[in-house]
Amino acid sequence: MSWLARMMGLGVVAGGLGPVFAFEWIMTARRWQMYAMRSITVVALLGAMGLVWSESVGFTDMEELSIEDQTEVARTFFGATSLILLGLVGLAAPAAAAGAVCLDKARGNLTLLFATDLTDAEIVAGKLGARLMPVLGLILAAAPVLSIATLFGGIDPAGVVGSLLVVLACGLFGCTLALTLSVWGRKTHQVLLATYLFGILYLLAAPIVAGLQGGLPAGTWPRWFPTFLDLLAYNPIYLTLSLLAGPMPGMSPVTLATQLRFFGLGAATSAAMFAVATWRIRRVVIRQLGQGERPRRGWRLIPSRDEVADQPGRLIRRRGALRRLVRRVWSGPSLDRNPVLWRECHRGWPSTWDVALWGLYVLLCGGGTLYVIFLIRDGRRWGYHLGTAVNAMQVAGGLLMLSVGAATSLSEERQRGSLDVLMTTPLPTWSIVWGKWRGAFRLVPRLLVLPTLLTLALDSLTGYYWGVILMDALILAYGAAITSLGLALATWMPRVGRATGTTVGLYTIMCIAWIPFSYIVFGDGPHDQGNGVAAGSPIAGVGVYSSVLADDGMPHDLFSQSAWTVFWTAAYAGVALALLLATLATFNYCLGRVDDGLSLDRNGRNSRGGKGRPAPNAIERPV
């Protein structure tokens, strides 16, 4: 395949995309991960079809199926496979392009490209094209699997083509948005968070507008502002599944022309973002290189000891007293006990990107939580149902942002080379791994604030306040498993984008794909175990348990779901511990570190008398 990729790259150079695309596409074509991703996608789609077939048909002969049964199987096939493909492309496209400019800025390769005769358009087009090719290959590999549904009847082939166009538009938009944001972003995880957050807000725009419109008095909604139906017409999930369920009341049917219009809008928006990235890439990158790392600025409420000593005064003394009081009430990590954790907590202020992204998350989730609490205090029953959805979405969104940060906390230091300094210290390996894990996990307890308040409000009808403890323990177990997964993948995978994309992909598969799998295999009836097994997904685990605590179900559902909550809490805690131990066992080999107790002498023997074998690029230590 490498010679074919080389010929394609040389042909593209002659076509006008430039040598940047030729180089990066040849390098991409040599990586086995791209082909493995396509194979895994096809296997996942075929596995979903197998589950649907076993649940719907089983061992029934095809000749015994009626036309209606075959049509129902085809519709279920298409719905499952199209949603899986849309989710995978929505995750893979931003992950492929998020580090396109960030990593080259950190390594200094981009400044060397600016010194050549290449234009900015050739640089941006080359990088974007090299990231789009794997996404396009993923869609083309999955297209024959989606076409299987047309063999049973009931699915229009034009609808399959239109759904592929919708998925292609999402992939094109996701890649271009991530690359454009990487022009201004300094770190890969910041660009990924911004892209994913924009995608989530885009998908939830119609429900958010519907909630706001329903909470306002009749006739007060501005006429110029889009409504629920206006936004739903541009939702990719609706455009994909409308072939199965038909149009919403008050909306026109979705045809191939509608999906072509969506693809055209996506392509036009991507072209506009490409033009913006081309226009600003040189100025922004040169300005950031001149600025370097921004120092800490601004007035701090709690000064350091040096500020108190160097600037004596009444205000400074008061601030120094406040600093001592806060340290007594809430003592941070100790530098003597765990210097790695202390470094993780003190190595820098949050950047503007981090403040903006988490501020937007707190604003949306906090606003939704307060709105639901107001509805519950007002005695509106539908506030409990809305609270269940808000609780599930805010936990899932917070854990998604955690999955990005858990993998990049180690990967970015490994990419920049600053981890090498930490590896040369006399700190034991377990101290480094444990400090990194706690540094990434410290975000999880903060994610408990809003779900705890909302769960307390949902329990006001039933009085099951003890369920808040189980809910918080489940969320902590989810966070611990995601933290261990991100740290393990960052240890085993040297590339930032690959480790981050795999972490986010595995989390999303467990978060979304686990729900239909549970209900298909274990049933969704009142006496089936589907709800309990589905609690392995953070969305279903938090959503179903919140619904049960709000008295939405039979009394036996509460105790059954509570037992499943305890089970999944223990299961995720065990997974977190197993991944942490696996990371600790492989950390030295993967990162090329030799502990003091395993230092090698001139004869290749370690200090314990055994034969030692250092990892590749191991750090030499004096014996």
Side-chain angles (χ1 to χ4, degrees):
M1 294 296 294
S2 61
W3 66 270
L4 179 60
R6 186 178 297 108
M7 294 300 296
M8 290 178 59
L10 294 176
V12 169
V13 171
L17 280 181
V20 176
F21 174 82
F23 172 77
E24 298 206 6
W25 172 238
I26 291 174
M27 296 299 296
T28 303
R30 294 176 178 176
R31 297 170 184 165
W32 61 269
Q33 289 84 0
M34 181 179 65
Y35 308 102
M37 183 64 182
R38 297 178 188 175
S39 303
I40 291 173
T41 301
V42 173
V43 170
L45 295 179
L46 293 176
M49 296 180 70
L51 289 175
V52 172
W53 180 266
S54 62
E55 181 67 19
S56 303
V57 179
F59 297 98
T60 306
D61 193 359
M62 279 292 298
E63 298 179 355
E64 300 178 3
L65 293 178
S66 63
I67 297 178
E68 291 78 9
D69 294 336
Q70 295 183 21
T71 301
E72 186 64 26
V73 170
R75 294 166 69 88
T76 309
F77 275 175
F78 179 76
T81 53
S82 58
L83 281 182
I84 292 175
L85 179 61
L86 183 62
L88 289 177
V89 171
L91 289 174
V101 181
C102 294
L103 296 179
D104 283 349
K105 285 192 295 186
R107 299 168 182 168
N109 298 338
L110 200 58
T111 55
L112 298 179
L113 287 178
F114 289 157
T116 63
D117 295 334
L118 295 173
T119 62
D120 297 343
E122 288 178 328
I123 295 174
V124 176
K127 290 185 173 296
L128 179 61
R131 269 73 181 176
L132 276 176
M133 291 300 292
V135 178
L136 180 60
L138 183 67
I139 298 174
L140 292 179
V145 183
L146 266 69
S147 302
I148 295 178
T150 60
L151 301 178
F152 294 89
I155 299 296
D156 188 6
V160 177
V161 175
S163 300
L164 290 175
L165 288 176
V166 172
V167 175
L168 182 59
C170 294
L172 178 62
F173 180 81
C175 271
T176 311
L177 177 61
L179 185 138
T180 304
L181 292 178
S182 67
V183 173
W184 283 269
R186 293 176 180 267
K187 298 181 179 179
T188 305
H189 77 276
Q190 296 172 351
V191 177
L192 268 179
L193 285 177
T195 308
Y196 287 145
L197 186 59
F198 181 85
I200 293 173
L201 290 179
Y202 182 81
L203 293 177
L204 298 179
I208 291 175
V209 169
L212 295 176
Q213 189 175 3
L216 295 177
T220 59
W221 188 258
R223 294 183 178 180
W224 54 269
F225 203 81
T227 61
F228 170 77
L229 297 179
D230 296 333
L231 296 176
L232 190 64
Y234 297 95
N235 191 301
I237 298 179
Y238 171 74
L239 293 176
T240 303
L241 296 183
S242 61
L243 187 63
L244 306 178
M248 290 282 294
M251 298 184 64
S252 58
V254 177
T255 60
L256 181 60
T258 307
Q259 295 166 333
L260 277 173
R261 184 174 67 248
F262 179 81
F263 175 78
L265 290 176
T269 308
S270 301
M273 290 188 296
F274 170 81
V276 172
T278 304
W279 174 45
R280 299 298 299 175
I281 184 171
R282 190 177 296 265
R283 295 183 181 180
V284 172
V285 172
I286 293 176
R287 185 178 70 248
Q288 289 182 354
L289 289 176
Q291 292 175 350
E293 293 292 336
R294 294 184 178 181
R296 300 182 179 184
R297 295 179 180 178
W299 187 84
R300 292 189 297 177
L301 179 64
I302 304 174
S304 62
R305 293 182 178 178
D306 296 336
E307 290 178 346
V308 176
D310 297 341
Q311 302 178 11
R314 188 173 182 180
L315 178 60
I316 293 297
R317 286 195 297 269
R318 289 181 179 178
R319 290 166 59 194
L322 180 60
R323 176 179 179 272
R324 291 190 296 270
L325 178 62
V326 171
R327 288 187 61 185
R328 291 179 181 177
V329 175
W330 180 39
S331 59
S334 174
L335 177 60
D336 297 329
R337 294 180 181 178
N338 197 328
V340 178
L341 178 60
W342 182 90
R343 176 176 175 269
E344 291 292 318
C345 298
H346 293 84
R347 63 178 178 177
W349 290 105
S351 63
T352 306
W353 285 69
D354 294 330
V355 173
L357 294 174
W358 282 105
L360 183 60
Y361 171 81
V362 172
L363 178 63
L364 293 176
C365 297
T369 300
L370 294 178
Y371 180 66
V372 170
I373 293 176
F374 171 77
L375 293 177
I376 293 176
R377 290 181 60 87
D378 200 31
R380 301 185 183 183
R381 180 63 185 176
W382 65 278
Y384 292 92
H385 301 287
L386 181 61
T388 299
V390 171
N391 213 13
M393 295 307 298
Q394 68 182 1
V395 171
L399 293 178
L400 176 63
M401 302 176 75
L402 172 68
S403 65
V404 177
T408 55
S409 61
L410 179 65
S411 295
E412 288 185 346
E413 275 198 271
R414 187 177 181 181
Q415 193 76 34
R416 293 195 304 264
S418 58
L419 188 64
D420 296 340
V421 180
L422 183 63
M423 303 289 285
T424 57
T425 61
L427 292 173
T429 300
W430 69 265
S431 178
I432 298 176
V433 175
W434 179 240
K436 285 288 183 181
W437 189 92
R438 289 187 61 187
F441 182 77
R442 73 183 190 275
L443 177 65
V444 180
R446 304 173 189 176
L447 297 177
L448 295 178
V449 177
L450 294 177
T452 300
L453 294 176
L454 188 53
T455 307
L456 287 173
L458 294 175
D459 292 340
S460 61
L461 184 63
T462 58
Y464 299 139
Y465 294 107
W466 50 268
V468 179
I469 301 176
L470 296 181
M471 180 75 75
D472 291 347
L474 181 63
I475 298 174
L476 289 175
Y478 288 147
I482 293 172
T483 303
S484 298
L485 176 64
L487 183 61
L489 293 178
T491 303
W492 300 334
M493 298 180 179
R495 296 184 179 274
V496 180
R498 191 178 303 167
T500 306
T502 307
T503 305
V504 175
L506 292 176
Y507 165 74
T508 308
I509 290 174
M510 194 63 192
C511 195
I512 298 177
W514 184 257
I515 299 176
F517 170 80
S518 303
Y519 288 127
I520 290 174
V521 176
F522 297 95
D524 55 352
H527 299 287
D528 294 328
Q529 301 298 323
N531 284 334
V533 178
S537 166
I539 293 180
V542 176
V544 174
Y545 198 52
S546 299
S547 177
V548 171
L549 292 177
D551 197 22
D552 189 6
M554 302 299 293
H556 69 273
D557 294 338
L558 173 64
F559 299 101
S560 175
Q561 199 64 31
S562 298
W564 278 106
T565 301
V566 174
F567 168 77
W568 283 113
T569 301
Y572 271 98
V575 170
L577 180 60
L579 288 174
L580 182 61
L581 293 178
T583 304
L584 183 62
T586 57
F587 188 83
N588 286 346
Y589 181 82
C590 293
L591 276 77
R593 187 174 196 258
V594 179
D595 277 332
D596 289 337
L598 296 177
S599 299
L600 304 179
D601 56 15
R602 296 179 180 178
N603 298 324
R605 302 268 181 181
N606 58 36
S607 60
R608 297 176 183 175
K611 185 70 175 177
R613 181 174 64 89
N617 300 325
I619 300 174
E620 296 291 341
R621 292 179 179 273
V623 180

